[in-house]
Amino acid sequence: MRNLINFLIRNAHWWLFLLLIFISVGLIVNDAAYPRSIYLSSANEVSGRVYQTSAALTSYIGLKTVNEDLNERVAEMEARIRYLEATIAKSRDSLSSSAILKDSMNVSDYTFITAQVVNNSVSQLENFITLDKGSAQGINRDMAVISATGVVGAVRLVSENFSVVIPILNPKFQLNCKLQRTNYFGPLVWDGINPRYAWLKNQPRHIEFTPGDTIVTSGFSAIFPPGIMVGTVIDTKKESDDNFNSLNIELSTDFQALKDVLVIGNKKQKEQRQLEGKLKK
């Protein structure tokens, strides 16, 4: 035992040297682990930011496709609503319900195409609207154009990928409308002054009109289906013929904010016009 103790004492400097080596190695290992953890943490942060930016960019690029899908769904829902209204109208016999629902159209007689406004004017006397779809997408002359809130106008010119619409805000365009409450009809005319208002002509003097009464399309046209919202009555004025009044109508469509529209085609339009045309011969 004494020899062992003497041996350890004689070589104490070596034992101290080895101890210092072990301590140094431990410190190096600990110091290396910390920078490594910092690096890994930073790398994760950077990669996370990259993925987040990439996802946001992909989402933005996909917005156009999503918007087109939504517009197609709107057209589909419009068709379904019309179908449901027609079904309900057939199933009810009361005059009170039919007064509203009898204007429902048979959805199978019409086509629905969504489009977007690419050019629009409201301050001219003869305004027009340009849509981003044309004959290649199924749009033809004399198709009705409506917005989510009401009537817009009718297609007049068509190219392969664009179409030009004559809106209500054009004196050359006259739409046959009616007072929904009474069914009295007449031409809707814009006076070229305010894009929010138009006049419903030839309304009998003996009919009482109430501000807020609803004006809709009459259906006496091969272009517009019946019952499409046009606007509401504001007030009245006498015409030159004392037997009639003109109704001042606040249009339901805001043409200054118009963007998305629905183009409606009547599948039986050609047949109707051919038959009516025979009377002119």
Side-chain angles (χ1 to χ4, degrees):
M1 177 62 68
R2 181 177 297 177
N3 291 333
L4 177 59
I5 294 174
N6 291 333
F7 174 77
L8 293 175
I9 293 174
R10 284 197 306 270
N11 297 285
H13 58 283
W14 290 108
W15 301 121
L16 179 61
F17 176 72
L18 291 174
L19 178 61
L20 292 175
I21 289 178
F22 285 127
I23 292 173
S24 299
V25 170
L27 291 175
I28 291 173
V29 171
N30 290 334
D31 288 344
Y34 178 73
R36 184 167 59 253
S37 65
I38 295 298
Y39 169 77
L40 292 176
S41 178
S42 300
N44 288 335
E45 176 70 17
V46 172
S47 61
R49 294 290 184 183
V50 171
Y51 290 143
Q52 184 180 31
T53 303
S54 176
L57 181 60
T58 303
S59 176
Y60 177 78
I61 294 174
L63 282 179
K64 182 177 181 180
T65 301
V66 171
N67 188 55
E68 291 177 353
D69 291 341
L70 288 175
N71 286 335
E72 295 298 332
R73 291 295 300 275
V74 168
E76 181 182 352
M77 292 304 296
E78 176 73 16
R80 290 183 179 181
I81 289 171
R82 292 292 174 179
Y83 174 76
L84 289 174
E85 288 179 345
T87 302
I88 294 172
K90 292 178 182 179
S91 65
R92 295 186 179 182
D93 297 325
S94 66
L95 292 176
S96 60
S97 63
S98 63
I100 298 175
L101 300 174
K102 66 183 179 181
D103 285 333
S104 300
M105 62 184 182
N106 187 349
V107 68
S108 63
D109 291 338
Y110 296 88
T111 60
F112 300 89
I113 303 171
T114 59
Q116 287 192 335
V117 174
V118 295
N119 193 12
N120 187 12
S121 62
V122 296
S123 59
Q124 302 178 24
L125 180 61
E126 297 183 357
N127 295 291
F128 68 91
I129 298 170
T130 304
L131 306 181
D132 65 346
K133 291 185 179 178
S135 58
Q137 292 78 34
I139 294 181
N140 299 305
R141 177 184 168 89
D142 291 339
M143 293 181 74
V145 181
I146 68 174
S147 68
T149 55
V151 170
V152 173
V155 176
R156 282 296 177 267
L157 298 175
V158 180
S159 66
E160 184 176 1
N161 295 298
F162 296 93
S163 53
V164 175
V165 176
I166 293 184
I168 294 175
L169 306 183
N170 190 317
K172 292 183 177 180
F173 177 72
Q174 291 190 7
L175 177 66
N176 196 294
C177 302
K178 69 177 183 179
L179 189 67
Q180 189 178 52
R181 181 171 56 84
T182 66
N183 283 332
Y184 279 93
F185 61 90
L188 185 78
V189 180
W190 185 56
D191 59 10
I193 299 176
N194 192 320
R196 293 295 296 150
Y197 302 95
W199 292 92
L200 183 63
K201 303 286 188 176
N202 301 340
Q203 297 302 298
R205 287 285 305 278
H206 68 276
I207 301 299
E208 294 184 359
F209 306 102
T210 303
D213 280 348
T214 300
I215 304 299
V216 297
T217 54
S218 65
F220 301 155
S221 165
I223 298 178
F224 280 90
I228 303 297
M229 181 68 176
V230 176
T232 54
V233 176
I234 301 300
D235 55 30
T236 65
K237 74 174 183 179
K238 293 181 180 180
E239 295 185 3
S240 56
D241 185 342
D242 287 340
N243 293 321
F244 296 96
N245 281 329
S246 290
L247 305 185
N248 190 13
I249 308 301
E250 182 177 9
L251 300 174
S252 58
T253 296
D254 185 356
F255 287 87
Q256 292 178 300
L258 191 61
K259 182 179 180 181
D260 297 307
V261 297
L262 188 65
V263 184
I264 304 176
N266 182 358
K267 296 179 182 179
K268 296 182 179 180
Q269 182 185 91
K270 184 177 180 180
E271 178 184 354
Q272 179 179 344
R273 286 186 167 177
Q274 286 178 343
L275 181 61
E276 294 172 347
K278 292 180 180 181
L279 295 174
K280 300 178 182 180
K281 295 181 180 180

